[in-house]
Amino acid sequence: CNRMEQAIGNRRLDFSVAAVLPAGGSGERMGTATPKQFCQVLQRPLISITLETFERVHWINDIVVVVSKQNFELMNLIIKRYGHSRTTVVEGALTRHQSIFNGLKAFVENQPCITWLQKPEVVIIHDAVRPFVEEDMLFHVATAAKECGAAGAIRPLVSTVVATNPESYLDHSLERAKYRASEMPQAFTFDVIYRAYQQCTDYDFEYGTECLHLALKYCGISARLIDGPPDLWKVTYKRDLYAAESIIKESLSKRVCIFTGIQEEPVQLGRLLQEALQKLMEVDVLNWSENKESRCIQTISSGQYYNFVCINVNNFELSQEIVKLLELIENRKLSVLYPVVLTVVHLNNLETSSPCVQMEDFISIKELAKEANRKNILIFRLLLNYTQELDKVEESVKEAASIIDSLIKQRSPALIGHFLVV
Amino acid sequence: CNRMEQAIGNRRLDFSVAAVLPAGGSGERMGTATPKQFCQVLQRPLISITLETFERVHWINDIVVVVSKQNFELMNLIIKRYGHSRTTVVEGALTRHQSIFNGLKAFVENQPCITWLQKPEVVIIHDAVRPFVEEDMLFHVATAAKECGAAGAIRPLVSTVVATNPESYLDHSLERAKYRASEMPQAFTFDVIYRAYQQCTDYDFEYGTECLHLALKYCGISARLIDGPPDLWKVTYKRDLYAAESIIKESLSKRVCIFTGIQEEPVQLGRLLQEALQKLMEVDVLNWSENKESRCIQTISSGQYYNFVCINVNNFELSQEIVKLLELIENRKLSVLYPVVLTVVHLNNLETSSPCVQMEDFISIKELAKEANRKNILIFRLLLNYTQELDKVEESVKEAASIIDSLIKQRSPALIGHFLVV
Ligand SMILES: [Mg+2]
Ligand SMILES: [Mg+2]
């Protein structure tokens, strides 16, 4: 899963596509009060991560998310807070199928809907709780649906499927090779799925297994089945939330940008730090000097980095560059979707500096760090002691790199503002 | 999943039970070179966690783990290193079914096996990559097998199951309510499953879906199917390793034991820390004084705690108690299975102490911490500043509690030996 690196595709489709995301589930299986689509993953509701995935796909025109009445307001707040500009919220109904049908109605002119959206040729249906679907997969189901009327992702069965008799004894096992698990996304030409729903009985709405089956039953369309990757899995249990969080953290930890000043020490130590960190992630180094400031601003604004390291020489205050960097992260809204990690490395020459640290220096930036944390920016601090002994410096830099790596991977607000001494 | 709290059951069975754990899988699906049962979860191979689960169940007499030839030595090393005294390693074969059969042969006298184990009445078969099975579930399948000849855990289907035609189009969807996913554990009377395997054809060995099916086909035994909890899931993908690690970390973070000395400040701050930490986990406080030392030793040795906090007054050296605690943790092998977290809280009265900290105090215990880390003990340090102002103390203690909570939950070796100032 490389969501952060996922380039904006160059794909073009000669037909229009929209998406409907049912998000009415109640989360009973989770054992939590909150339905799983609203559970937090890195302090953000899971559904917002799925919406981000869809909004990255430029050829999907509209996204309709269907939620239960009691979550309607919450959903609109989420959309506002995380800037999901292409998403419309529609009120669901009692069953999943009725909710999907309500979502489809938002595209049909003469339906009493809050918003009326342009009817697409193809509609993708996807679960709000499958956040990691990739553009490729969406593209494949959309084009196959345009061609065949219906398409859906499948996966090999993980377990053997058995039929039970009413007394809970084994009746027979299915031959695994002949069957597949039907997953999401699925896609349909709009008219096929809309017609299928128009003909649904109350029984279908209540017990009907899935859309592919309805398209077959009411429109005679046999869906094209496409092998999907394991990432399509559905966040169902608490452990799936753990997994989703780890996947995102791993993805956010792939790149770091180091800013050095122009003085000799920071430039030199920046280079050493780069060497040590390169074994752990991709590293870029930039000198933040007056004539290169616009390049730094450009790099920060690119949205490619969620991790920054600033090498500081003004013991132990924050340099002007760091203050500017914080402003930029905020203004460019880089931390709206994911927490941004900023590690400030203070250089301390043991040969020239005092051998003791004032207690107040340890707590001086705590308030600033708390304030930044409210904006989803995690500020950590490292005090890097060095002397002219090259061996020791390398040792220290290696330790610093391992700490920075850990701070980036864990993104834990508990340690913000703290001074870690190397 | 409450594995740490899982009391040693009082269950007694009037028949003998053994377990066979096939662990021959190649881990292709994982996308890693290491088969998943040997992947690390908190620096320990997943299979060792499953073995620990089985060894906690006192009514299971023998555990046979079946591994491929190339992992035979590795498996024996794992057994030695983590003290799996009731486990025997048996060499597997090319297919899963042949491997299970090899495992069963270890209980049959006239088979050419390295070790010969006593034939049990009932044998439980379980995947090495399903570490979180609980005693209850094992008990249910074992007793049902004794009664019916065969039993297995089932789960509701997460996805709709579809039959495809040869051109990858939907043939039909199964009615989800009529089918179940067959999971592990499964149990059989030894003679039933052994007889079934003796009659297996080469085709069965290669393509046979599962043991329940073989018991039905060759012995006419229709297995009793028992609803299992979601914890039975199979660690298959990298995300499952993330989930497993999070589940274990959560489980290890449920309790902490605080040791105070007998002086006024540590006792008082220990009480405040207890109050703050109690909102996050279960907390016990013990005074480590001469007349209570045996009680402290007893508490540590009980194996109920994987987290300790020591309140220290000897700025900034480690007290005798901490040195003793470290020795105890090592001697009682508490950190063999899981990393133990020891947070040392140094009290610093700002009104009487120096306003500055010597740099050397920051790095003084780093070597000790590195040494402890090699024994799987993570030592963290907090410097807790306090004055007579009660409000401020409470604020600081609250922050200290939140840091301790985070250090315990993350168990990250990167921060060992560091001084976090509150
Ligand atoms: Mg299986
Ligand atoms: Mg489904």
Side-chain angles (χ1 to χ4, degrees):
Chain A
C1 168
N2 280 334
R3 52 194 293 106
M4 300 314 140
E5 286 170 21
Q6 201 170 303
I8 294 160
N10 291 317
R11 289 206 168 87
R12 278 160 177 276
L13 295 181
D14 55 3
F15 54 91
S16 58
V17 181
V20 170
L21 276 64
S26 65
E28 292 150 23
R29 274 193 282 195
M30 203 76 145
T32 54
T34 311
K36 49 202 175 304
Q37 62 275 22
F38 296 114
C39 283
Q40 303 278 311
V41 175
L42 269 99
Q43 286 92 56
R44 183 148 72 105
L46 183 63
I47 188 154
S48 167
I49 296 168
T50 312
L51 288 176
E52 181 197 347
T53 300
F54 276 79
E55 292 192 333
R56 279 168 188 268
V57 179
H58 70 101
W59 48 263
I60 297 180
N61 302 319
D62 292 300
I63 300 149
V64 165
V65 58
V66 191
V67 299
S68 66
K69 194 175 179 167
Q70 68 260 39
N71 289 318
F72 195 83
E73 273 318 299
L74 171 63
M75 193 62 230
N76 273 309
L77 284 175
I78 290 168
I79 280 181
K80 205 174 158 191
R81 171 149 182 206
Y82 300 104
H84 296 302
S85 54
R86 265 149 68 207
T87 301
T88 304
V89 187
V90 163
E91 201 175 298
L94 279 180
T95 70
R96 176 179 162 86
H97 281 305
Q98 271 169 324
S99 290
I100 296 172
F101 194 21
N102 278 10
L104 295 173
K105 284 176 185 168
F107 298 98
V108 178
E109 202 166 352
N110 54 0
Q111 282 292 333
C113 263
I114 302 153
T115 324
W116 177 76
L117 300 163
Q118 199 164 357
K119 196 183 96 174
E121 281 178 81
V122 167
V123 63
I124 294 172
I125 298 173
H126 189 73
D127 289 318
V129 292
R130 301 189 195 241
F132 301 117
V133 59
E134 292 198 358
E135 182 178 348
D136 254 17
M137 192 68 220
L138 296 171
F139 182 82
H140 284 138
V141 292
T143 49
K146 171 72 179 165
E147 201 185 311
C148 318
I154 51 169
R155 289 280 308 154
L157 292 175
V158 175
S159 313
T160 300
V161 174
V162 294
T164 64
N165 68 25
E167 291 80 34
S168 285
Y169 286 87
L170 175 67
D171 190 78
H172 64 276
S173 307
L174 297 188
E175 221 178 294
R176 228 201 267 195
K178 288 189 183 161
Y179 296 88
R180 295 289 181 274
S182 170
E183 309 285 344
M184 292 276 162
Q186 295 176 350
F188 304 87
T189 51
F190 189 88
D191 294 334
V192 161
I193 191 66
Y194 196 74
R195 250 193 302 139
Y197 274 118
Q198 280 178 313
Q199 295 170 73
C200 272
T201 62
D202 287 351
Y203 184 90
D204 287 327
F205 274 122
E206 188 129 7
Y207 303 106
T209 49
E210 56 162 1
C211 309
L212 296 185
H213 175 72
L214 300 176
L216 180 61
K217 183 172 172 190
Y218 291 112
C219 304
I221 300 282
S222 180
R224 176 110 172 77
L225 302 175
I226 297 165
D227 289 315
D231 305 343
L232 291 180
W233 109 103
K234 195 168 168 177
V235 173
T236 309
Y237 304 105
K238 201 176 175 188
R239 68 166 185 264
D240 296 313
L241 284 175
Y242 290 146
E245 186 149 318
S246 297
I247 287 170
I248 293 172
K249 279 184 175 173
E250 194 191 24
S251 174
L252 290 172
S253 307
K254 286 189 172 163
R255 300 182 87 168
V256 63
C257 180
I258 301 176
F259 290 110
T260 67
I262 45 165
Q263 283 161 283
E264 202 191 323
E265 282 103 336
V267 169
Q268 213 173 320
L269 278 150
R271 209 170 294 132
L272 286 174
L273 199 55
Q274 179 181 27
E275 277 170 30
L277 270 171
Q278 258 164 357
K279 287 165 192 149
L280 307 162
M281 60 186 77
E282 211 180 302
V283 189
D284 292 292
V285 180
L286 285 175
N287 291 4
W288 193 310
S289 56
E290 255 174 55
N291 57 344
K292 287 177 181 166
E293 188 166 298
S294 70
R295 183 148 171 243
C296 290
I297 293 174
Q298 209 182 318
T299 303
I300 298 159
S301 309
S302 72
Q304 291 179 68
Y305 298 94
Y306 286 89
N307 311 296
F308 300 96
V309 172
C310 281
I311 300 182
N312 208 15
V313 275
N314 310 342
N315 288 344
F316 290 107
E317 278 157 47
L318 295 185
S319 66
Q320 245 345 86
E321 287 78 24
I322 294 171
V323 176
K324 271 190 196 163
L325 176 58
L326 280 171
E327 271 175 29
L328 262 171
I329 293 171
E330 204 189 333
N331 292 341
R332 304 298 158 111
K333 298 185 192 304
L334 294 182
S335 60
V336 168
L337 298 183
Y338 299 100
V340 170
V341 170
L342 167 58
T343 309
V344 180
V345 178
H346 296 270
L347 298 183
N348 190 42
N349 186 335
L350 285 176
E351 280 146 5
T352 59
S353 71
S354 150
C356 90
V357 185
Q358 295 299 312
M359 205 54 89
E360 66 206 38
D361 285 328
F362 279 96
I363 46 181
S364 62
I365 73 147
K366 282 210 173 163
E367 282 311 312
L368 176 79
K370 278 182 195 165
E371 180 63 28
N373 185 32
R374 282 188 277 272
K375 294 166 190 157
N376 216 13
I377 305 169
L378 306 172
I379 302 180
F380 302 114
R381 283 172 112 190
L382 271 184
L383 177 65
L384 181 66
N385 287 316
Y386 70 100
T387 60
Q388 294 309 316
E389 285 178 74
L390 200 69
D391 284 7
K392 278 195 184 164
V393 175
E394 276 181 8
E395 186 68 20
S396 301
V397 168
K398 222 172 120 184
E399 196 191 336
S402 134
I403 292 171
I404 291 170
D405 179 57
S406 165
L407 293 170
I408 285 175
K409 284 185 177 148
Q410 293 177 351
R411 283 173 204 270
S412 160
L415 298 180
I416 55 161
H418 279 280
F419 229 143
L420 299 162
V421 180
V422 175
Chain B
C1 166
N2 280 335
R3 54 193 291 107
M4 301 311 140
E5 288 171 19
Q6 200 172 302
I8 293 159
N10 292 315
R11 289 209 169 86
R12 277 161 179 277
L13 294 181
D14 54 3
F15 53 91
S16 59
V17 182
V20 170
L21 277 63
S26 66
E28 291 150 27
R29 273 193 283 196
M30 203 75 145
T32 54
T34 312
K36 49 201 177 302
Q37 60 275 22
F38 296 114
C39 284
Q40 303 279 310
V41 175
L42 269 100
Q43 285 93 56
R44 183 148 72 104
L46 183 64
I47 188 153
S48 168
I49 296 168
T50 311
L51 288 176
E52 182 197 347
T53 300
F54 275 79
E55 292 193 332
R56 280 168 187 269
V57 179
H58 70 100
W59 48 263
I60 297 180
N61 302 320
D62 291 300
I63 300 148
V64 166
V65 58
V66 191
V67 299
S68 65
K69 193 174 180 166
Q70 68 260 41
N71 290 318
F72 195 82
E73 274 317 300
L74 171 64
M75 193 62 229
N76 273 310
L77 284 175
I78 290 169
I79 281 182
K80 205 174 159 191
R81 169 147 184 205
Y82 300 105
H84 296 303
S85 53
R86 265 152 68 210
T87 300
T88 304
V89 188
V90 163
E91 201 175 298
L94 277 181
T95 71
R96 177 179 160 86
H97 281 304
Q98 271 169 323
S99 291
I100 295 173
F101 193 23
N102 279 9
L104 295 172
K105 284 176 186 168
F107 298 97
V108 178
E109 204 167 349
N110 54 359
Q111 281 294 331
C113 262
I114 302 154
T115 325
W116 177 75
L117 299 162
Q118 197 164 0
K119 196 184 95 174
E121 282 179 80
V122 166
V123 63
I124 295 172
I125 297 173
H126 188 73
D127 288 317
V129 290
R130 301 188 195 243
F132 301 117
V133 59
E134 294 199 355
E135 181 177 349
D136 255 17
M137 193 68 221
L138 296 171
F139 182 82
H140 284 139
V141 292
T143 48
K146 171 72 180 163
E147 203 186 311
C148 316
I154 52 169
R155 289 279 308 154
L157 291 175
V158 175
S159 313
T160 301
V161 174
V162 293
T164 64
N165 68 25
E167 290 80 34
S168 285
Y169 285 86
L170 176 68
D171 189 77
H172 63 277
S173 307
L174 297 187
E175 221 178 295
R176 227 202 264 197
K178 288 188 183 161
Y179 295 89
R180 296 287 181 277
S182 171
E183 310 284 345
M184 292 275 160
Q186 295 177 351
F188 304 87
T189 51
F190 188 89
D191 295 334
V192 161
I193 191 67
Y194 196 74
R195 249 193 302 139
Y197 273 118
Q198 282 179 310
Q199 296 170 74
C200 270
T201 62
D202 285 352
Y203 184 89
D204 288 327
F205 274 123
E206 188 129 8
Y207 302 106
T209 48
E210 56 162 2
C211 308
L212 297 185
H213 175 72
L214 299 176
L216 180 62
K217 184 171 171 189
Y218 291 112
C219 304
I221 301 282
S222 179
R224 176 114 172 73
L225 302 176
I226 298 166
D227 289 313
D231 305 344
L232 291 180
W233 109 104
K234 195 170 170 176
V235 173
T236 310
Y237 304 105
K238 199 175 176 189
R239 67 166 185 264
D240 295 313
L241 285 175
Y242 290 145
E245 185 148 320
S246 297
I247 287 169
I248 293 171
K249 280 184 175 175
E250 194 190 24
S251 174
L252 292 172
S253 308
K254 286 188 173 164
R255 301 182 87 167
V256 64
C257 180
I258 301 176
F259 291 111
T260 66
I262 47 165
Q263 283 163 281
E264 203 192 325
E265 282 103 337
V267 169
Q268 214 172 322
L269 277 151
R271 209 170 293 132
L272 287 175
L273 199 53
Q274 179 181 28
E275 278 170 30
L277 270 172
Q278 258 165 357
K279 287 165 193 151
L280 307 163
M281 61 186 77
E282 212 180 301
V283 189
D284 292 292
V285 179
L286 286 176
N287 290 4
W288 194 310
S289 56
E290 256 174 54
N291 57 345
K292 287 178 181 166
E293 188 166 295
S294 70
R295 178 140 181 253
C296 289
I297 292 174
Q298 208 182 319
T299 303
I300 297 160
S301 309
S302 73
Q304 291 178 68
Y305 298 94
Y306 286 88
N307 311 295
F308 300 97
V309 172
C310 282
I311 300 182
N312 208 16
V313 276
N314 309 342
N315 289 345
F316 291 106
E317 278 157 47
L318 294 185
S319 68
Q320 243 347 84
E321 287 78 22
I322 295 172
V323 176
K324 273 191 194 163
L325 177 58
L326 280 171
E327 271 175 30
L328 263 171
I329 293 172
E330 205 188 332
N331 292 340
R332 304 298 158 112
K333 298 186 192 300
L334 294 182
S335 59
V336 168
L337 297 183
Y338 298 100
V340 170
V341 170
L342 167 58
T343 309
V344 181
V345 178
H346 296 271
L347 298 182
N348 189 43
N349 186 335
L350 284 177
E351 280 145 4
T352 59
S353 72
S354 151
C356 94
V357 185
Q358 294 300 310
M359 205 55 87
E360 66 205 37
D361 285 328
F362 279 95
I363 46 181
S364 61
I365 72 148
K366 281 209 174 164
E367 282 311 312
L368 177 81
K370 278 182 195 166
E371 180 63 28
N373 185 34
R374 280 187 278 273
K375 295 165 190 157
N376 216 14
I377 305 170
L378 305 172
I379 303 180
F380 302 114
R381 285 172 109 190
L382 270 183
L383 177 67
L384 183 65
N385 287 317
Y386 70 101
T387 61
Q388 295 308 316
E389 285 179 73
L390 201 68
D391 285 7
K392 277 195 185 166
V393 176
E394 278 182 6
E395 186 67 21
S396 300
V397 168
K398 223 173 116 182
E399 197 192 333
S402 133
I403 291 172
I404 291 170
D405 180 57
S406 165
L407 293 171
I408 285 174
K409 285 185 176 147
Q410 292 177 351
R411 284 173 204 268
S412 160
L415 298 180
I416 55 162
H418 279 280
F419 229 143
L420 298 162
V421 180
V422 175

